Amino acid sequence: MSAKGIFLRRLAVSAVTALSLVSAVHAADMSEEAIAERIAPVGSVYLEGEAPVETAAVPSGPRAGDAVYNTYCMACHSTGAAGAPKAGDAAAWEPRLAQGKDTLVSHAINGFNGMPAKGTCMDCSDDEIVAAIDHMLSL
């Protein structure tokens, strides 16, 4: 066997030995608390009506354009990711505005090219999307 092969074999044996020792040390704590911690479930499953389900807070009213922009739009429209026009870049928005604001709003609501429908804000109303567009155009 070559020197390289001997080295790799010793390395593999050392790795297996180290892993065995780590597992043995971890399993050595046989207290009831340690055992309970090791076998505790990592999640819970509830049947409908069995336990209350925590849900995200439902907006109490329409969100402002800057709030929608900062939460859902900023990732792409501040960096230009996927060809998104940057907020505040009048030259990038000019050809889009030339098609008319109705077309711009339709693209934002229904998705266009790389932009998903409503820019991933699936719980945004159409008015909130329009407010986000107005906010981007005002920057």
Side-chain angles (χ1 to χ4, degrees), residues 42-94:
V42 294
S44 301
V45 176
Y46 294 101
L47 298 175
E48 186 175 345
E50 193 175 280
V53 177
E54 294 180 24
T55 58
V58 177
S60 60
R63 291 168 279 201
D66 63 332
V68 174
Y69 170 77
N70 289 329
T71 305
Y72 299 99
C73 311
M74 181 185 266
C76 295
H77 287 284
S78 67
T79 64
K86 290 183 181 181
D89 183 352
W93 285 96
E94 188 176 342

Side-chain angles (χ1 to χ4, degrees), residues 24-47:
V25 168
H26 182 69
D29 187 355
M30 297 302 288
S31 67
E32 290 197 28
E33 294 82 23
I35 293 170
E37 184 180 329
R38 286 194 299 268
I39 65 171
V42 294
S44 301
V45 176
Y46 294 101
L47 298 175

Side-chain angles (χ1 to χ4, degrees), residues 84-104:
K86 290 183 181 181
D89 183 352
W93 285 96
E94 188 176 342
R96 290 161 175 87
L97 289 170
Q99 297 176 33
K101 189 159 181 188
D102 289 341
T103 301
L104 183 63

